Amino acid sequence: VTADEGRLLLQSTTSTVNSGLLDAILPHFTEQTGVEVRVVSSGTGQALRNAQNGDADLVLVHAKRDEEKFVAEGYGLARFDLMYNDFVVVGPPDDPAGVRQTQSATQALSKIAAAGVYFVSRGDESGTHKKEIHLWELTDRDLSEVIRRPWYLESGAGMGATLNIAINKQAYTLSDRGTWIRFGNKGDFEILFEGGEELFNPYGLILVNPKKHPHVNVVDGQTLIDWLVGEEGQRQINSYRINGNQLFFANAK
């Protein structure tokens, strides 16, 4: 396969795509450069696997450890900081586990486990799922025990579907803030815990290594990276809002 000039394939995450951000900003890039970007949406784990198999020119994902491994193993050229937001713990307003009183996300999960109330995990190797697993590893609970408990439910689905299940079951879940802001069917659910370093959610941008996959469109791919991490792209990211709420915060170096 030869590089398809003027066209790019970007593997990105469900949270980024569902937020509407890419639909809002990529047309400006295409207008200025003539380069069209096709976006494929999947969880971070799947997006990186697709890119590893050569099914992408670039990836835009949110699991920094996995991204750094992807670059270290030679599948990607370099990781660029692009933007960040954060994760939030949402749940029913009566808050049976007492999550509102906790001091950290890790403590919030410990209280949910202690109370034995429903928690819905995405269970899909997405960036959000990886973050949740990492938080469980920081608790005093054994993860292999947690996932066998009847109160621990796995949706195996995207963030929207997972939120629907949580609301249906009056369960807690971990959501990226962007999807939560945009989610239309909140019922009476609320953010019960937010803030703190643990819930920081950085997004990285990586060009696939043409040494592994010669068909990668390096020239246009680098043009897109330069635009996104440059003044114009960063301004577009910061100005994207839903109902007055900013979803992502640009942080390119």
Side-chain angles (χ1 to χ4, degrees):
V1 194
T2 54
D4 196 354
E5 275 175 40
R7 293 205 56 182
L8 284 172
L9 179 58
L10 172 67
Q11 290 276 353
S12 190
T13 72
T14 45
S15 65
T16 327
V17 175
N18 293 345
S19 73
L21 173 75
L22 298 175
D23 287 339
I25 72 175
L26 289 177
H28 297 281
F29 169 75
T30 299
E31 201 177 302
Q32 287 166 32
T33 61
V35 178
E36 279 179 48
V37 186
R38 188 160 79 83
V39 179
V40 175
S41 157
S42 55
T44 286
Q46 187 62 50
L48 287 170
R49 274 197 299 280
N50 293 347
Q52 241 166 341
N53 296 335
D55 206 3
D57 295 304
L58 306 99
V59 282
L60 167 52
V61 291
H62 61 140
K64 197 167 178 182
R65 287 190 296 187
D66 296 30
E67 294 162 44
E68 286 166 346
K69 183 168 175 257
F70 181 82
V71 172
E73 290 175 354
Y75 292 105
L77 288 179
R79 181 192 177 279
F80 293 85
D81 284 316
L82 180 65
M83 60 191 188
Y84 67 89
N85 60 13
D86 62 344
F87 293 102
V88 292
V89 179
V90 301
D94 62 343
D95 188 18
V99 165
R100 271 197 200 90
Q101 281 73 55
T102 58
Q103 302 302 306
S104 70
T106 308
Q107 203 185 349
L109 288 185
S110 291
K111 291 204 72 156
I112 291 167
V117 287
Y118 281 133
F119 178 88
V120 188
S121 167
R122 280 185 50 178
D124 65 349
E125 274 192 71
S126 58
T128 306
H129 180 219
K130 287 169 188 285
K131 171 62 83 171
E132 178 227 320
I133 294 302
H134 180 59
L135 291 172
W136 282 114
E137 285 167 352
L138 297 174
T139 68
D140 49 3
R141 305 265 160 179
D142 178 358
L143 183 65
S144 57
E145 282 296 304
V146 166
I147 58 182
R148 289 210 295 272
R149 293 279 175 249
W151 52 263
Y152 185 86
L153 310 171
E154 290 183 280
S155 70
M159 198 67 249
T162 302
L163 284 166
N164 276 324
I165 293 168
I167 288 160
N168 202 356
K169 291 266 186 198
Q170 293 291 294
Y172 294 91
T173 193
L174 182 73
S175 175
D176 66 284
R177 190 184 291 271
T179 305
W180 176 249
I181 287 171
R182 201 162 174 189
F183 189 66
N185 177 30
K186 292 184 174 75
D188 57 357
F189 265 45
E190 295 170 13
I191 292 177
L192 299 173
F193 186 86
E194 61 188 319
E197 191 57 37
E198 292 175 322
L199 293 179
F200 181 64
N201 181 27
Y203 287 80
L205 190 59
I206 304 169
L207 190 60
V208 175
N209 189 350
K211 288 203 170 109
K212 294 266 187 199
H213 300 290
H215 63 266
V216 169
N217 185 349
V218 180
V219 176
D220 292 334
Q222 192 57 52
T223 302
L224 176 58
I225 290 176
D226 292 344
W227 187 84
L228 284 169
V229 304
E231 206 177 316
E232 166 91 2
Q234 295 282 282
R235 190 176 57 73
Q236 296 270 1
I237 289 167
N238 281 334
S239 62
Y240 181 65
R241 283 174 168 69
I242 289 177
N243 306 328
N245 294 298
Q246 184 172 338
L247 270 69
F248 298 97
F249 297 82
N251 70 338
K253 298 282 186 287

